[in-house]
Amino acid sequence: VLSFALADRFNQIKLEKTQAQAQTLAAQQQLLASLQQHERELEQRVAERTAALAVANQRLREMALHDTLRASSRPGDLVARYGGDEFVIVAEALGVPQDAQAFAERLLAALLAPMAAAPDARIGASIGIAVGVHGPTEIGDLLRRADGAMYAAKAAGRGTIRWADRIA
């Protein structure tokens, strides 16, 4: 009888050991499944944030390369940085000097409009205009005259337009 009781006790211990191993294995499998789920969620969040970052970077690139000057100019106009905060727009084929004045006024209005990237920021400008009206004009001369007119506009205050030679 004692040997049957001992054998029964060994079988019971063996069964408990098997059950404990099964429970441990089930817990490990559950932990593994949970870790895999968290990993998938993390990968999804990283992918979403990477995509959002790519969109934001593209928007920043567009904002850096396109501004109110490139949007206000016409096809065929040349827009270039002339100095630190000075830009030149070479606008050919304006019919009359009044067209240059109207173009400059539209440009000032566009620069004063709120920017999507910084709605509270405002940009002011001083515009100098030089027009070549009597045959071919040396570009250097036009730039010097426009630059002088721009400095006169700066002296008069932001949002001002001055002409190198008042024709309009």
Side-chain angles (χ1 to χ4, degrees):
V1 173
L2 185 60
S3 65
F4 285 124
L6 192 54
D8 188 42
R9 180 69 181 135
F10 281 133
N11 284 337
Q12 174 129 7
I13 291 173
K14 194 174 178 182
L15 179 63
E16 288 174 358
K17 181 181 174 185
T18 304
Q19 288 174 344
Q21 287 175 339
Q23 288 174 349
T24 302
L25 181 60
Q28 288 175 343
Q29 289 173 338
Q30 186 179 14
L31 180 59
L32 179 61
S34 176
L35 288 173
Q36 288 172 336
Q37 177 63 31
H38 287 299
E39 184 178 359
R40 283 190 297 272
E41 290 171 2
L42 183 59
E43 287 175 352
Q44 178 65 31
R45 281 188 294 206
V46 167
E48 289 170 358
R49 290 187 180 163
T50 301
L53 182 60
V55 168
N57 282 334
Q58 179 60 32
R59 185 167 180 246
L60 285 173
R61 255 189 305 286
E62 289 173 8
M63 289 169 56
L65 297 174
H66 299 89
D67 60 23
T68 304
L69 288 175
R70 274 134 202 102
S72 297
S73 62
R74 305 165 307 155
D77 289 347
L78 172 66
V79 180
R81 181 182 298 272
Y82 188 62
D85 63 348
E86 297 177 7
F87 293 86
V88 172
I89 299 177
V90 178
E92 295 185 278
L94 291 172
V96 292
Q98 291 81 0
D99 290 345
Q101 180 74 26
F103 180 70
E105 289 170 359
R106 281 194 311 275
L107 184 58
L108 278 178
L111 288 170
L112 289 173
M115 295 179 288
D120 295 332
R122 296 289 182 263
I123 297 176
S126 302
I127 297 179
I129 300 174
V131 177
V133 292
H134 304 297
T137 304
E138 172 72 29
I139 190 71
D141 180 50
L142 278 175
L143 287 174
R144 279 187 295 281
R145 291 175 31 227
D147 194 47
M150 186 262 310
Y151 277 102
K154 278 186 176 184
R158 195 172 269 186
T160 307
I161 300 169
R162 291 291 183 262
W163 284 77
D165 303 311
R166 186 67 182 152
I167 301 172

